[in-house]
Amino acid sequence: MPNVTFFFNHKLTGADFKNRKAWFEVKSPKTTPDARDREVEIDFDFLIGADGAHSSARYHMMKYTRMDYQQEYIDTLWCEFTIAAKDLRPTEDPENRFRISPHHLHIWPGKEFMFIAIPSFVCNPTSPNYI
C-alpha cells in the first residue's frame, strides 16, 4: 500500500504517542573512520512495534498510557535457519527445487522439544524461492 512504510534495522530510541513522532537510531556502515550512527525522526499515524521480548515500543507506550503488562520468560530456544532451494537445470521441473515440501507444515516431535519447519517464500523477480 502506498501509505505504508516499513523501516528495518532502525532502533527505536524514543516515541511521543501524543504528537505521533518516533525517533530511531540508524547504524551507519563502518566503512570510513568518521562514520557515525544517526538519529532520524519519523511522523506516524499508526506505529507497530514488532521488536520482541524486550520491546522498546512497549516501553515507550507504557510511559504514554495506563496499561497492565506482565511478562514471563520460558526456557525455550528459538532458532531459525534457511534450507536453500536446489539449483536446477533448465529442463527440470521447478517444483523439484525444494528440499522439503513447500506446501506443508513439517513437525518432528522429541521428548522435551519439537522441531517445526514452516515453509516461507522470499522472492523477487530476480531470485529463486527459498524455504
Side-chain angles (χ1 to χ4, degrees):
M1 302 188 93
N3 61 335
V4 175
T5 305
F6 291 97
F7 294 94
F8 295 96
N9 301 314
H10 284 56
K11 179 181 178 181
L12 181 67
T13 57
D16 180 344
F17 289 93
K18 182 177 181 183
N19 294 309
R20 297 182 175 178
K21 294 190 180 291
W23 295 270
F24 296 88
E25 178 184 283
V26 182
K27 295 274 186 198
S28 68
K30 304 296 181 197
T31 55
T32 62
D34 61 338
R36 294 190 181 141
D37 296 345
R38 60 189 173 94
E39 185 174 76
V40 295
E41 181 179 280
I42 305 292
D43 295 318
F44 65 88
D45 294 317
F46 188 77
L47 177 70
I48 297 174
D51 53 346
H54 303 285
S55 172
S56 294
R58 181 173 46 244
Y59 171 79
H60 290 291
M61 186 175 285
M62 288 171 65
K63 294 189 287 183
Y64 172 74
T65 187
R66 294 173 50 117
M67 60 189 280
D68 186 16
Y69 169 72
Q70 180 178 337
Q71 183 166 328
E72 182 179 325
Y73 296 97
I74 57 176
D75 188 25
T76 302
L77 171 67
W78 175 267
C79 180
E80 291 188 28
F81 65 95
T82 300
I83 302 172
K86 297 184 283 187
D87 291 327
L88 298 177
R89 288 174 262 178
T91 57
E92 290 183 274
D93 180 0
E95 280 293 310
N96 291 337
R97 72 184 179 273
F98 301 109
R99 300 191 191 267
I100 60 176
S101 170
H103 306 293
H104 301 90
L105 173 65
H106 305 273
I107 301 174
W108 295 274
K111 290 183 181 177
E112 295 181 16
F113 66 91
M114 84 173 109
F115 185 82
I116 302 173
I118 303 171
S120 62
F121 298 93
V122 177
C123 61
N124 65 47
T126 61
S127 70
N129 292 330
Y130 290 89
I131 60 171

